Amino acid sequence: MPKETFYNLDKEKREKIERVALSEFANFGFHGAKVNRVVDKSGISKGSFYQYFTGMDDLFVHIVENLGKKKISFIGSELKLLGEKDFFEKFESMFLSGVKFYYSLSEDEITISKMLPIIKNLCSEKLEVMKKEANQIFFEHLIDEAISTGEIQADRDFAFVVISNTSKQIIQYLRRKNKVMGIEKVFENESNVKEAISLFLDLLKMGLTKKEGKNE
Amino acid sequence: MPKETFYNLDKEKREKIERVALSEFANFGFHGAKVNRVVDKSGISKGSFYQYFTGMDDLFVHIVENLGKKKISFIGSELKLLGEKDFFEKFESMFLSGVKFYYSLSEDEITISKMLPIIKNLCSEKLEVMKKEANQIFFEHLIDEAISTGEIQADRDFAFVVISNTSKQIIQYLRRKNKVMGIEKVFENESNVKEAISLFLDLLKMGLTKKEGKNE
Amino acid sequence: MPKETFYNLDKEKREKIERVALSEFANFGFHGAKVNRVVDKSGISKGSFYQYFTGMDDLFVHIVENLGKKKISFIGSELKLLGEKDFFEKFESMFLSGVKFYYSLSEDEITISKMLPIIKNLCSEKLEVMKKEANQIFFEHLIDEAISTGEIQADRDFAFVVISNTSKQIIQYLRRKNKVMGIEKVFENESNVKEAISLFLDLLKMGLTKKEGKNE
Amino acid sequence: MPKETFYNLDKEKREKIERVALSEFANFGFHGAKVNRVVDKSGISKGSFYQYFTGMDDLFVHIVENLGKKKISFIGSELKLLGEKDFFEKFESMFLSGVKFYYSLSEDEITISKMLPIIKNLCSEKLEVMKKEANQIFFEHLIDEAISTGEIQADRDFAFVVISNTSKQIIQYLRRKNKVMGIEKVFENESNVKEAISLFLDLLKMGLTKKEGKNE
DNA sequence: AATGAATGAGGGTTCATTCAT
DNA sequence: TATGAATGAACCCTCATTCAT
């Protein structure tokens, strides 16, 4: 946990350091990240670094926690808007906010997210928590609800695996589909995203094959 | 690329080094892997290390190439058996061999596989190639074929994303489902795996919802 | 020499700092003592430290001077009581006050005392003075007197060495003898101490062996 | 304990390092000794230093052990020559060899010897052993013997304290006496030393005062 | 071909000291 | 006067790499 001195810094300086650290960890991995590079790039002295953090571990945990908070607050705020929709409508909302969140992440943040589950030899219980996908919690809740109302009639584990992977697939799809045009353009227009989501929601509903007039 | 001296070693010694290196990279990442630990654990001298490899990069590429070859040869051999099945039968075979391959990997090999796509600052064109999922090539071919025969009536990119993620999801599902019993047990009995695969194939065919008597 | 600001502090705060410094030097030696630890333990800020002292050297000299003053004032006050005793009676008084002084010291003060004569690379003339055993001055005076009156008939240097080591030996003896019972108990009862002193005074008078017609 | 690589060095290099280390610890104390200075002065690289020792602690223990071995082997070899002398003759021999040993020490070695008993925060059991004066063991044995034969009629603890301090006093006396002339000269002529020893032996026998014609 | 000691650049961390508030 | 953040020199130690044997 960063020391008080870090939180006392003015926002600009603090965010510069966080940005630099994020990039450092994303580019070199947890074990390859160097204090030297971080202090050089963020324009602080080595001495200051150690007045802000106990070491690179500390900084890493901070970066990851930031990411975690960001995610939880983002998804949390979207969740409040769910209201009285049916199951698949709720998922549509979830996927939309998931995709929007994912898009809000920088390349470096995405890299860190992917890195987390495979970091070994890291003795921080805090990180153990962060390793879990935040949305798992939301999804599990929603799925259980949908099963109890009969909206989903499927094996609980199966439903969970399929649904919790859908956000990622939607994003993969969007990236793939729009390789040529600037990907940012795609995200800026929400209808593009909604279209993609509906494609996957239909899958969840009916499957890939066009049968008996479904999926027309 | 390892030097000739490395390939001249007797198999046992060579594989010891490879095993140690695999574990080193899996545990500490590309940037955190140390020559010292590798030579200590594999019982060779530092001098010898540099007679086998130009450095850790060299060793890393070798390890990853081994993994790639393993995958390609495994899937390749399964592919030959496909014959004249229909589209979904072919996929059933692909998934089965994918799951079997995945299960054949050690923890360390799995970690390396996951690590590959997020390694930056690595100036090896060889690795760029390895980063691609090997099965993509197979899948893309199969999907194009199925689209041209009309067996799949869906957006090509959509089909690709959905199908190429299915193997992973099957494995996730198997792990999740069998948390309690030893996971090894599950893989040993092929019928367990086939059952899981059929679940996902049904999804691809019909979706999650029970409609008109489907999915009872 | 501490700055005026230090002497302006209230007694309690000043003595806290002195106590902490004493312990720091006793535990880590002159070269190993750290400003950081001192300010942390005494609850003052780093900035304040440098407003009180020019650095650790300054503080060290101050601590040692305190110790020196303590010794001189203690022995000085005892000396006044000597009056018109004969030579050995005077020594008895000297030893008694020496032992009492020694006992009045804390463990840390004793350590500092022992440390002083072996500190090198210390460019303070003040300390050079402190390195000398304070009692040397008193003893040399007394011995010269006793030699001139004929009370001691021995080589001056020999007498000096033997006598100036006697205090230490008395303390060693007391510690050794009373290993089992709490050593504090011993010092509290002055008769214990006097008994020990007389043992050593007898040595000075007659030697170790108890024989009629001495030592054949 | 130094690593094998250190003992594999040629004698000259090894002794250079030991000499430098001795001086470093003598001049700056245990906590103030720096690797940097040691490697600079002994002309080895930092890397090499850490191939010889695990750190400065390791080196310190080695230096002290060397000193201990030196002392024990020296005194041990002298002890063998004691033969069938009487008590005080034996002590004469002991003191002589003690003085000769002490004289054989360099200034730095003497400083280290004095430093040992006051080093704190040192978690080496080995050093705890070294802190004990080696001669204590020899003296205790001799004294017990003399008490049982009646050659000494005194309190055991008293005898021990007095006798075990005599070597030091003899040396103090020699230094004091010969301040003016080069002290080395004094030690070179054994008769000077024997004379001093007899002075102290007489004290042990008869005390300082001249009585009934003794000590004339 | 095998070894492992030697090396110095560089990484992590601490420290004494300064200085703006 | 009191404070404590800022700083960079210097410290301890590791590492990749070389090279003589």
Side-chain angles (χ1 to χ4, degrees), chain A residues 33-36 46 50:
Chain A
K34 304 296 174 196
V35 175
N36 275 347
K46 257 190 203 190
Y50 284 96

